[in-house]
Amino acid sequence: MTQDELKALVGQAALKYVVPGEIVGVGTGSTVNKFIDALASMKGSIKGAVSSSTASTARLQALGIPVFDSNEVDTISVYIDGADEIDHAGHMIKGGGAALTREKIVAAQSARFICIADESKLVTALGAFPVPVEVIPMAARRLRKQFEAMGGSAQIRMKDGAPLVTDNGQHILDVSGLQITDPLGFESEVNQWPGVVTVGVFAHQKAAVCLLGTAAGVRTLEF
Ligand code: 5RP
């Protein structure tokens, strides 16, 4: 199976976690796009969605799925999102699609995080994928130095020759060369550096379940 077919497989499999009559939290990315397409088949039986990006909002609305502002909703039972890496404890690196801040907000509002990913995303330790960090632009230079002092190398993510601007009007630093042996500690430390909006390590908002697309079918990991 191609990676695209594996993504479609887990996007479809995630439907069984969606609670009829409720609002579902929806992440961002190519795997989530498959989930959104599948969700259209049950749009009559859910109230709608809280979305983590303008891109996912547009896709949901184009399929006729109502999108609620997160402030209109109290708690969400299930949040469905992809990952750039996930370890065997459910810790993840996210933000390859630059939506990490809103993803973490909706994940924090949700009782359970269901991660959907193809098998290439499962790792024994986080850090081969550069860690995305959303930052206030005026802090970027100093933060790059702080990551260098940690042994990493941080680059500002570019798009069309200029720094990429997130849905929140900020920039992304992609930090490579880190070995994240303590995801909880790393997330807590980097989050309190002035100028960091969100670090793309999801350890406090880790996955409860991962639906992993493999050649043999969907493998369910529970953490
Ligand atoms: C977006 C994300 C995505 O979930 C992550 O990048 C995985 O994307 P894809 O499903 O396209 O591989 O964190 O900010």
Side-chain angles (χ1 to χ4, degrees), residues 7 28-32 81-84 94-100 103 121:
K7 289 179 181 189
T28 299
S30 57
T31 316
V32 165
D81 199 358
D84 299 301
K94 291 184 46 53
L100 63 162
E103 290 172 343
K121 307 291 183 67

Side-chain angles (χ1 to χ4, degrees), residues 58-74:
R59 197 174 186 100
L60 286 158
Q61 289 176 333
L63 290 166
I65 300 169
V67 176
F68 291 83
D69 186 283
S70 59
N71 287 307
E72 293 179 278
V73 177
D74 192 11

